[in-house]
Amino acid sequence: MDNQTDICPRCGMMEALAAMPRRETPQDRTRRAVYATGNRWAIENFEATHH
């Protein structure tokens, strides 16, 4: 199963699922913000507490 051949359950269009926006979880938003700072200590701390 891949996004190239997947069929959207709502409209039946091929490849529609690949184009749908994906919602970020709070953890994903925090991860992105931490990595954007470039602070190695913060990145290590985030990884240690979330993995």
Side-chain angles (χ1 to χ4, degrees), residues 1-2 4-5 8-9 12-14 20 23 25 27-28 30-31 35-37 39-40 42 45-47 51:
M1 179 186 225
D2 62 340
Q4 299 301 319
T5 58
C8 177
M13 291 180 61
M14 298 289 277
M20 288 178 142
R23 298 190 190 269
T25 64
Q27 182 178 352
D28 292 334
T30 304
R31 175 184 289 120
Y35 276 83
T37 65
N39 182 332
R40 287 185 182 178
N45 187 40
F46 179 85
E47 292 296 326
H51 285 226

Side-chain angles (χ1 to χ4, degrees), residues 3-22:
N3 288 338
Q4 299 301 319
T5 58
D6 209 359
I7 298 173
C8 177
R10 281 192 257 159
C11 63
M13 291 180 61
M14 298 289 277
E15 302 177 25
L17 292 177
M20 288 178 142
R22 296 192 175 125

